[in-house]
Amino acid sequence: MRPLWIYGWLLCLLAMQTPAAAQSSLKWSFQRTGFRATSNFPSQTAISMRSGQTWPVVYSFYENSLNAYSLFPVLNAKGKNHILPETNWHQIGSNLNGSQFASSGTYLQADSGSPDGFAVSMQTNGRESLPQDSVAIGNSLSGFQSPMLGVQAVKFDAMGNPFTASSSLLPNLPSSVKMYDVAISTFGDVGAVSQTNATSTGTSAITYWQRSPLLGNTWLSTNINIDSRSETELLGPSVDLNFDATGRSHIVGVNKGGAKVLAYRFDTMTGTWMSSILDTSAPNTLTIADVAAATNDDGVLGAAWVNNGILKYAYLDTNQISPSWVVTNVATTTPTGVQLELSQGVGLAFDKAGLPVISFVDRTMRQIWVAYDPPTAFGGGVTDQPGAEGDFNGDGFVDGYDVDAWGVGFGEGTLDGNDFLAWQRNLSPPPTAPAAVPEPLALASGLVGAALLLGSTRRNRR
């Protein structure tokens, strides 16, 4: 039995760390998965990081069948699991849609949960469509379950349980309205976005819904006002909804004209939605197909898309008082010189260190690629040393996840106190200044934000 002082010491040590993702100094590397996407335009991919791990699950259609691919851990000479080059990509799920799904006009979103769940949703434009929208959920031990038909979105809650949702989640929706995405905050809030059929004519603004435990779990709704610079509203299937670390909601998507990437965030100080234009498609070119958005534990919101053959990444540091988006170009070709698809869907997730990992497709061979920052993704943690002392669970990181693995080895007599000291020395990132502890003001701000949302949405309540 492990001494209790070890856990107390560990908690104190981890509390001293201040994990901060270096979003502004990313050094992109690229890895080919060895798998292809169907050539139907526009190609779609999605990606999720297996929680607590450093390798991804990538999804893409091939010959009208949605498949999943992942990097498996490979045993090294010391019996520890480490991730090796792209030759170790494996197909871990086939025909996840359960039927022949039209790979064009189908939008993918993926998510993962701790300790080891991952899922993908498949959606089409319309409220009524055949085959039906569906969600596939899986994990490393049992693989993927049969697809859940008639379900639009899936996210994992704080306990690692999948939360699936369809239009029936929202009260009294007209038959012409469809729910396109859902999100769950760390405080238990549930958010959703709905829109009249994307194929319908006329105005069909995105409606944002939120259900908060602080307000009796009553659904409130408000329309997302169209940015006057965008001319048209967002396209429902391209919308990604996320909560940041403080529980503020964010929406990122492509407008219906397909010419702009738009980001909206709810400002708790003013009780209104603030918008930003992240990108504009060049005239007379194929337009932006889709955008993927995700958040990390440090409160960074990210978005990725391909426009006119350029893979782009943007981030918003929500810890700032007046945050603003920073947009960067990631690539126009693969390392082999092949140009990227002019317009396509992409996948975006954050790795264990809070840095972005993006999946995308090249134009000629239709190979699925992954872009990532070398020091943390797939390499060996911030030390960049696979097999570093203290990495007892072999995931490439020396961190708190290794303590249980050390305990098992300690009980079996294969690890001792010296190994624990090695873990302490190599703990990454190293201890720095004490992290800020949330004060009651944070909760008060959340209550003020909820009250402002209530005031701004009462007229639209259904």
Side-chain angles (χ1 to χ4, degrees), residues 185-187 242-250 295-296 299-301 318:
S185 79
T186 55
F187 306 104
N242 297 92
F243 286 105
D244 63 29
T246 63
R248 291 169 295 194
S249 48
H250 299 263
T295 54
N296 69 16
V300 172
L301 179 74
T318 64

Side-chain angles (χ1 to χ4, degrees), residues 17-101:
Q17 301 183 58
T18 56
Q23 303 290 323
S24 61
S25 58
L26 295 171
K27 298 175 183 176
W28 296 101
S29 288
F30 303 90
Q31 188 177 116
R32 183 171 55 196
T33 67
F35 297 95
R36 291 187 176 185
T38 302
S39 60
N40 291 9
F41 173 83
S43 58
Q44 288 282 333
T45 69
I47 189 171
S48 60
M49 299 298 296
R50 294 160 71 175
S51 293
Q53 309 294 344
T54 57
W55 53 86
V57 178
V58 173
Y59 307 86
S60 188
F61 281 103
Y62 186 67
E63 296 181 350
N64 291 343
S65 177
L66 181 66
N67 304 311
Y69 316 99
S70 183
L71 282 169
F72 281 173
V74 178
L75 292 177
N76 64 11
K78 296 181 180 180
K80 296 181 180 180
N81 295 329
H82 287 290
I83 299 163
L84 298 179
E86 61 270 19
T87 53
N88 292 308
W89 281 91
H90 298 270
Q91 181 169 312
I92 62 173
S94 61
N95 195 27
L96 301 184
N97 45 307
S99 60
Q100 293 303 299
F101 223 109

Side-chain angles (χ1 to χ4, degrees), residues 413-430:
T414 59
L415 294 173
D416 56 24
N418 290 326
D419 296 300
F420 189 83
L421 292 176
W423 170 83
Q424 179 183 348
R425 287 194 303 270
N426 293 324
L427 186 64
S428 55

